[in-house]
Amino acid sequence: MELPSKLLENAVNEISQLPGIGKRTALRLVLHLLRQPVEQSEDLANALLKVRGEIKYCSGCHNISDKEICQICENPGRDKSLVCVVEDVRDVMAIENTGTYKGIYHVLGGKINPIEGIGPSQLNIVSLVEKVKSNDVKEVIFALSSTMEGDTTIFYIYKQIKDYNVKTSTIARGIAVGDELEYADEVTLGRSLQHRIPYEQSLNQL
Amino acid sequence: MELPSKLLENAVNEISQLPGIGKRTALRLVLHLLRQPVEQSEDLANALLKVRGEIKYCSGCHNISDKEICQICENPGRDKSLVCVVEDVRDVMAIENTGTYKGIYHVLGGKINPIEGIGPSQLNIVSLVEKVKSNDVKEVIFALSSTMEGDTTIFYIYKQIKDYNVKTSTIARGIAVGDELEYADEVTLGRSLQHRIPYEQSLNQL
C-alpha cells in the first residue's frame, strides 16, 4: 500500500501496530480523524498520553486505580482472606458484575506466555506469594481462562504456595447457564458431569 | 461498563469515538498500550497530532499530499483534460494500482449525505465546476460507489457541468472478473447485459 504522504504513512503505521488493526483499517481511521474537527484528534492523543503516563496500580491488588489503594481493597466489607487471582482489569469488572464475590483480587497483569516473551518475572506473582506467606490468606481462587497459558500460570503459582497453610481452588468449568447440551464440547460436558452438585444445592442458587 | 479509573475511562471514551470501535475493543487497545513501552503510546499520539495538524492537500486535485502539488498533478505525462472524480485518497490509490489510468483526479473528500450532515458545500465541488468552466477539461469520469449517496453526488455535479462543453461518464458496472454469474445480484447482472461489449474488444483487454 503506497500512500501519497509521509505524515499519513507514519500515522497509519503507528495505528496498525495495535492488535487487530491492519493497515486498511488504520487508513480508514486516519481519514475519519482528518474529516473531524482538530480537537477530536487532540483529545484522543492527550488521553492516550495521559493514561499511559499517569496510570496508577493499586498497591494491594495491582488493579488499575486512580488512588494508592483501590476501592475494592479499601472496602472494610470485603473478606481479605479470600483472594481471587485474575489476568487483568477486565476480569475484575466481569466478576464484580456478578455481584456474588465478596473477597479481594490479585491482578497478575497477564499470563505466562513464552511465545510472546512473557515470563513469570513480568507478572505480579512475587507479591501474591508474599501475601500467602504472611498468613493473612485462607484461600486463593484461580480465575484464569483454561488455555495452555492460563493452566501453566496456575500451576506455576500453585507450586510456590502449596506448602503454605492456604486452600487453593479454581472456578468451576461446566455448561453455561442457558446453553444447549448438544453444542457443548466434550471436555466441558465431561467436567460438568464429574463435578456435578446436589440438586438441592442448585435450587438455592436460583 | 464501570471502569475503576477516570484516566482509563477517558481514554476508552476517546478511542471508542472512532468508527467501528466499541467500548470493549477500546479497553482492549488501552490495556495493550499499557503493557507496551511508553514510547509506543507517545509515537502514536504524536503521529495523530502531526497528521491532523500538518496534513496538506494538493491545490490541483485536493488529494492528500506532502507538497503544494501532488505527484500525479505535476507529472507532465498525465492527461490534464481527463478528470476522474473520486471520494477520497483510497479510491485514488485503488485506481492507480490498476496502472491503466493516465488522466488526473479530483478528490471530493466525501459524498453528499444529509443524514450525516454532509452537504455539497463541504465537498470540493466548486473547484471542479471552475475547472470545467475554464475549458481545460474534455471528459469528467465519475468513479463513485453506486449507493444512494454516490448517485446523488454524481447527479448534483452533473447538473452543474452539463451545459458546458464537457463529456461525462461513469465507470462500468458489471460482473467482477473471476466472479460466478449465479452469485451476482440482479441489478449488476442486468446492467452487465445491457452494456455488453463486442467480443473482439474484450479479447484486446486480456
PDB file of all heavy atoms in Angstrom, chain A residues 91-113:
ATOM      1  N   ASP A  91     -11.256  -8.842  33.886  1.00  0.00           N
ATOM      2  CA  ASP A  91     -11.777  -9.972  34.650  1.00  0.00           C
ATOM      3  C   ASP A  91     -12.340  -9.499  35.988  1.00  0.00           C
ATOM      4  O   ASP A  91     -13.356 -10.004  36.455  1.00  0.00           O
ATOM      5  CB  ASP A  91     -10.662 -10.996  34.871  1.00  0.00           C
ATOM      6  CG  ASP A  91     -10.043 -11.437  33.553  1.00  0.00           C
ATOM      7  OD1 ASP A  91     -10.797 -11.590  32.585  1.00  0.00           O
ATOM      8  OD2 ASP A  91      -8.810 -11.607  33.502  1.00  0.00           O
ATOM      9  N   VAL A  92     -11.662  -8.508  36.596  1.00  0.00           N
ATOM     10  CA  VAL A  92     -12.187  -7.935  37.841  1.00  0.00           C
ATOM     11  C   VAL A  92     -13.576  -7.362  37.586  1.00  0.00           C
ATOM     12  O   VAL A  92     -14.527  -7.620  38.339  1.00  0.00           O
ATOM     13  CB  VAL A  92     -11.251  -6.818  38.376  1.00  0.00           C
ATOM     14  CG1 VAL A  92     -11.874  -6.127  39.584  1.00  0.00           C
ATOM     15  CG2 VAL A  92      -9.890  -7.390  38.743  1.00  0.00           C
ATOM     16  N   MET A  93     -13.716  -6.587  36.486  1.00  0.00           N
ATOM     17  CA  MET A  93     -15.004  -5.983  36.169  1.00  0.00           C
ATOM     18  C   MET A  93     -16.075  -7.056  35.941  1.00  0.00           C
ATOM     19  O   MET A  93     -17.216  -6.919  36.387  1.00  0.00           O
ATOM     20  CB  MET A  93     -14.869  -5.101  34.928  1.00  0.00           C
ATOM     21  CG  MET A  93     -14.123  -3.793  35.206  1.00  0.00           C
ATOM     22  SD  MET A  93     -13.513  -2.998  33.695  1.00  0.00           S
ATOM     23  CE  MET A  93     -15.011  -2.839  32.773  1.00  0.00           C
ATOM     24  N   ALA A  94     -15.695  -8.132  35.233  1.00  0.00           N
ATOM     25  CA  ALA A  94     -16.656  -9.196  34.937  1.00  0.00           C
ATOM     26  C   ALA A  94     -17.134  -9.869  36.224  1.00  0.00           C
ATOM     27  O   ALA A  94     -18.336 -10.095  36.399  1.00  0.00           O
ATOM     28  CB  ALA A  94     -16.031 -10.223  33.998  1.00  0.00           C
ATOM     29  N   ILE A  95     -16.194 -10.151  37.123  1.00  0.00           N
ATOM     30  CA  ILE A  95     -16.581 -10.830  38.373  1.00  0.00           C
ATOM     31  C   ILE A  95     -17.383  -9.885  39.268  1.00  0.00           C
ATOM     32  O   ILE A  95     -18.370 -10.277  39.883  1.00  0.00           O
ATOM     33  CB  ILE A  95     -15.329 -11.380  39.103  1.00  0.00           C
ATOM     34  CG1 ILE A  95     -14.667 -12.467  38.238  1.00  0.00           C
ATOM     35  CG2 ILE A  95     -15.698 -11.938  40.480  1.00  0.00           C
ATOM     36  CD1 ILE A  95     -13.377 -13.020  38.804  1.00  0.00           C
ATOM     37  N   GLU A  96     -16.980  -8.598  39.322  1.00  0.00           N
ATOM     38  CA  GLU A  96     -17.737  -7.626  40.113  1.00  0.00           C
ATOM     39  C   GLU A  96     -19.176  -7.525  39.624  1.00  0.00           C
ATOM     40  O   GLU A  96     -20.106  -7.368  40.408  1.00  0.00           O
ATOM     41  CB  GLU A  96     -17.057  -6.253  40.059  1.00  0.00           C
ATOM     42  CG  GLU A  96     -15.823  -6.127  40.928  1.00  0.00           C
ATOM     43  CD  GLU A  96     -16.139  -6.355  42.400  1.00  0.00           C
ATOM     44  OE1 GLU A  96     -16.822  -5.521  43.002  1.00  0.00           O
ATOM     45  OE2 GLU A  96     -15.713  -7.403  42.931  1.00  0.00           O
ATOM     46  N   ASN A  97     -19.361  -7.640  38.291  1.00  0.00           N
ATOM     47  CA  ASN A  97     -20.706  -7.542  37.718  1.00  0.00           C
ATOM     48  C   ASN A  97     -21.629  -8.659  38.192  1.00  0.00           C
ATOM     49  O   ASN A  97     -22.843  -8.501  38.162  1.00  0.00           O
ATOM     50  CB  ASN A  97     -20.645  -7.554  36.188  1.00  0.00           C
ATOM     51  CG  ASN A  97     -20.370  -6.169  35.634  1.00  0.00           C
ATOM     52  OD1 ASN A  97     -20.590  -5.168  36.327  1.00  0.00           O
ATOM     53  ND2 ASN A  97     -19.903  -6.103  34.400  1.00  0.00           N
ATOM     54  N   THR A  98     -21.060  -9.814  38.583  1.00  0.00           N
ATOM     55  CA  THR A  98     -21.920 -10.898  39.055  1.00  0.00           C
ATOM     56  C   THR A  98     -22.535 -10.551  40.407  1.00  0.00           C
ATOM     57  O   THR A  98     -23.584 -11.072  40.765  1.00  0.00           O
ATOM     58  CB  THR A  98     -21.132 -12.215  39.234  1.00  0.00           C
ATOM     59  OG1 THR A  98     -20.212 -12.066  40.328  1.00  0.00           O
ATOM     60  CG2 THR A  98     -20.332 -12.569  37.988  1.00  0.00           C
ATOM     61  N   GLY A  99     -21.862  -9.671  41.166  1.00  0.00           N
ATOM     62  CA  GLY A  99     -22.383  -9.268  42.474  1.00  0.00           C
ATOM     63  C   GLY A  99     -22.356 -10.384  43.510  1.00  0.00           C
ATOM     64  O   GLY A  99     -22.996 -10.274  44.558  1.00  0.00           O
ATOM     65  N   THR A 100     -21.606 -11.470  43.243  1.00  0.00           N
ATOM     66  CA  THR A 100     -21.634 -12.615  44.169  1.00  0.00           C
ATOM     67  C   THR A 100     -20.327 -12.799  44.920  1.00  0.00           C
ATOM     68  O   THR A 100     -20.242 -13.651  45.800  1.00  0.00           O
ATOM     69  CB  THR A 100     -21.909 -13.932  43.416  1.00  0.00           C
ATOM     70  OG1 THR A 100     -20.854 -14.123  42.466  1.00  0.00           O
ATOM     71  CG2 THR A 100     -23.246 -13.902  42.702  1.00  0.00           C
ATOM     72  N   TYR A 101     -19.303 -12.016  44.588  1.00  0.00           N
ATOM     73  CA  TYR A 101     -17.989 -12.245  45.188  1.00  0.00           C
ATOM     74  C   TYR A 101     -17.672 -11.172  46.220  1.00  0.00           C
ATOM     75  O   TYR A 101     -17.779  -9.979  45.933  1.00  0.00           O
ATOM     76  CB  TYR A 101     -16.919 -12.262  44.083  1.00  0.00           C
ATOM     77  CG  TYR A 101     -15.524 -12.525  44.604  1.00  0.00           C
ATOM     78  CD1 TYR A 101     -15.198 -13.746  45.170  1.00  0.00           C
ATOM     79  CD2 TYR A 101     -14.538 -11.544  44.529  1.00  0.00           C
ATOM     80  CE1 TYR A 101     -13.931 -13.992  45.653  1.00  0.00           C
ATOM     81  CE2 TYR A 101     -13.266 -11.778  44.996  1.00  0.00           C
ATOM     82  CZ  TYR A 101     -12.961 -13.003  45.565  1.00  0.00           C
ATOM     83  OH  TYR A 101     -11.713 -13.246  46.042  1.00  0.00           O
ATOM     84  N   LYS A 102     -17.292 -11.599  47.408  1.00  0.00           N
ATOM     85  CA  LYS A 102     -17.067 -10.640  48.497  1.00  0.00           C
ATOM     86  C   LYS A 102     -15.613 -10.615  48.972  1.00  0.00           C
ATOM     87  O   LYS A 102     -15.298  -9.980  49.985  1.00  0.00           O
ATOM     88  CB  LYS A 102     -17.982 -10.966  49.686  1.00  0.00           C
ATOM     89  CG  LYS A 102     -19.473 -10.768  49.372  1.00  0.00           C
ATOM     90  CD  LYS A 102     -19.779  -9.306  49.041  1.00  0.00           C
ATOM     91  CE  LYS A 102     -21.179  -9.137  48.458  1.00  0.00           C
ATOM     92  NZ  LYS A 102     -21.239  -8.065  47.440  1.00  0.00           N
ATOM     93  N   GLY A 103     -14.731 -11.338  48.287  1.00  0.00           N
ATOM     94  CA  GLY A 103     -13.325 -11.324  48.659  1.00  0.00           C
ATOM     95  C   GLY A 103     -12.601 -10.190  47.953  1.00  0.00           C
ATOM     96  O   GLY A 103     -13.216  -9.250  47.457  1.00  0.00           O
ATOM     97  N   ILE A 104     -11.258 -10.262  47.893  1.00  0.00           N
ATOM     98  CA  ILE A 104     -10.475  -9.273  47.158  1.00  0.00           C
ATOM     99  C   ILE A 104      -9.816  -9.959  45.952  1.00  0.00           C
ATOM    100  O   ILE A 104      -9.988 -11.164  45.757  1.00  0.00           O
ATOM    101  CB  ILE A 104      -9.412  -8.593  48.058  1.00  0.00           C
ATOM    102  CG1 ILE A 104      -8.490  -9.646  48.684  1.00  0.00           C
ATOM    103  CG2 ILE A 104     -10.083  -7.759  49.131  1.00  0.00           C
ATOM    104  CD1 ILE A 104      -7.284  -9.040  49.396  1.00  0.00           C
ATOM    105  N   TYR A 105      -9.086  -9.185  45.166  1.00  0.00           N
ATOM    106  CA  TYR A 105      -8.472  -9.709  43.946  1.00  0.00           C
ATOM    107  C   TYR A 105      -6.954  -9.637  44.009  1.00  0.00           C
ATOM    108  O   TYR A 105      -6.376  -8.922  44.834  1.00  0.00           O
ATOM    109  CB  TYR A 105      -8.953  -8.907  42.721  1.00  0.00           C
ATOM    110  CG  TYR A 105     -10.425  -9.032  42.483  1.00  0.00           C
ATOM    111  CD1 TYR A 105     -11.316  -8.117  43.034  1.00  0.00           C
ATOM    112  CD2 TYR A 105     -10.936 -10.063  41.702  1.00  0.00           C
ATOM    113  CE1 TYR A 105     -12.674  -8.233  42.832  1.00  0.00           C
ATOM    114  CE2 TYR A 105     -12.299 -10.194  41.493  1.00  0.00           C
ATOM    115  CZ  TYR A 105     -13.158  -9.269  42.064  1.00  0.00           C
ATOM    116  OH  TYR A 105     -14.494  -9.397  41.851  1.00  0.00           O
ATOM    117  N   HIS A 106      -6.326 -10.358  43.073  1.00  0.00           N
ATOM    118  CA  HIS A 106      -4.909 -10.152  42.813  1.00  0.00           C
ATOM    119  C   HIS A 106      -4.743 -10.196  41.288  1.00  0.00           C
ATOM    120  O   HIS A 106      -4.953 -11.230  40.666  1.00  0.00           O
ATOM    121  CB  HIS A 106      -4.052 -11.222  43.490  1.00  0.00           C
ATOM    122  CG  HIS A 106      -2.590 -10.944  43.365  1.00  0.00           C
ATOM    123  ND1 HIS A 106      -1.886 -10.244  44.325  1.00  0.00           N
ATOM    124  CD2 HIS A 106      -1.710 -11.212  42.378  1.00  0.00           C
ATOM    125  CE1 HIS A 106      -0.641 -10.112  43.936  1.00  0.00           C
ATOM    126  NE2 HIS A 106      -0.501 -10.689  42.761  1.00  0.00           N
ATOM    127  N   VAL A 107      -4.395  -9.045  40.710  1.00  0.00           N
ATOM    128  CA  VAL A 107      -4.307  -8.931  39.247  1.00  0.00           C
ATOM    129  C   VAL A 107      -2.884  -9.252  38.796  1.00  0.00           C
ATOM    130  O   VAL A 107      -1.935  -8.553  39.156  1.00  0.00           O
ATOM    131  CB  VAL A 107      -4.712  -7.517  38.790  1.00  0.00           C
ATOM    132  CG1 VAL A 107      -4.591  -7.391  37.275  1.00  0.00           C
ATOM    133  CG2 VAL A 107      -6.138  -7.199  39.230  1.00  0.00           C
ATOM    134  N   LEU A 108      -2.735 -10.313  37.985  1.00  0.00           N
ATOM    135  CA  LEU A 108      -1.401 -10.738  37.546  1.00  0.00           C
ATOM    136  C   LEU A 108      -0.827  -9.814  36.471  1.00  0.00           C
ATOM    137  O   LEU A 108       0.374  -9.655  36.354  1.00  0.00           O
ATOM    138  CB  LEU A 108      -1.464 -12.158  36.987  1.00  0.00           C
ATOM    139  CG  LEU A 108      -1.806 -13.278  37.984  1.00  0.00           C
ATOM    140  CD1 LEU A 108      -1.919 -14.601  37.245  1.00  0.00           C
ATOM    141  CD2 LEU A 108      -0.735 -13.365  39.066  1.00  0.00           C
ATOM    142  N   GLY A 109      -1.700  -9.226  35.652  1.00  0.00           N
ATOM    143  CA  GLY A 109      -1.226  -8.378  34.555  1.00  0.00           C
ATOM    144  C   GLY A 109      -0.890  -9.168  33.310  1.00  0.00           C
ATOM    145  O   GLY A 109      -0.245  -8.640  32.396  1.00  0.00           O
ATOM    146  N   GLY A 110      -1.330 -10.412  33.227  1.00  0.00           N
ATOM    147  CA  GLY A 110      -1.066 -11.240  32.041  1.00  0.00           C
ATOM    148  C   GLY A 110      -0.974 -12.702  32.423  1.00  0.00           C
ATOM    149  O   GLY A 110      -1.265 -13.079  33.572  1.00  0.00           O
ATOM    150  N   LYS A 111      -0.604 -13.522  31.447  1.00  0.00           N
ATOM    151  CA  LYS A 111      -0.396 -14.942  31.709  1.00  0.00           C
ATOM    152  C   LYS A 111       0.987 -15.316  31.201  1.00  0.00           C
ATOM    153  O   LYS A 111       1.511 -14.659  30.307  1.00  0.00           O
ATOM    154  CB  LYS A 111      -1.457 -15.771  30.975  1.00  0.00           C
ATOM    155  CG  LYS A 111      -2.834 -15.670  31.598  1.00  0.00           C
ATOM    156  CD  LYS A 111      -3.877 -16.424  30.789  1.00  0.00           C
ATOM    157  CE  LYS A 111      -4.181 -15.725  29.489  1.00  0.00           C
ATOM    158  NZ  LYS A 111      -5.379 -16.235  28.818  1.00  0.00           N
ATOM    159  N   ILE A 112       1.578 -16.371  31.794  1.00  0.00           N
ATOM    160  CA  ILE A 112       2.885 -16.836  31.318  1.00  0.00           C
ATOM    161  C   ILE A 112       2.728 -17.274  29.867  1.00  0.00           C
ATOM    162  O   ILE A 112       1.863 -18.090  29.550  1.00  0.00           O
ATOM    163  CB  ILE A 112       3.391 -18.006  32.179  1.00  0.00           C
ATOM    164  CG1 ILE A 112       3.644 -17.522  33.620  1.00  0.00           C
ATOM    165  CG2 ILE A 112       4.665 -18.610  31.584  1.00  0.00           C
ATOM    166  CD1 ILE A 112       4.007 -18.636  34.585  1.00  0.00           C
ATOM    167  N   ASN A 113       3.520 -16.685  28.962  1.00  0.00           N
ATOM    168  CA  ASN A 113       3.372 -16.969  27.542  1.00  0.00           C
ATOM    169  C   ASN A 113       4.741 -16.862  26.865  1.00  0.00           C
ATOM    170  O   ASN A 113       5.132 -15.797  26.389  1.00  0.00           O
ATOM    171  CB  ASN A 113       2.384 -15.968  26.924  1.00  0.00           C
ATOM    172  CG  ASN A 113       2.010 -16.344  25.509  1.00  0.00           C
ATOM    173  OD1 ASN A 113       2.736 -17.080  24.843  1.00  0.00           O
ATOM    174  ND2 ASN A 113       0.885 -15.840  25.053  1.00  0.00           N
TER     175      ASN A 113
END
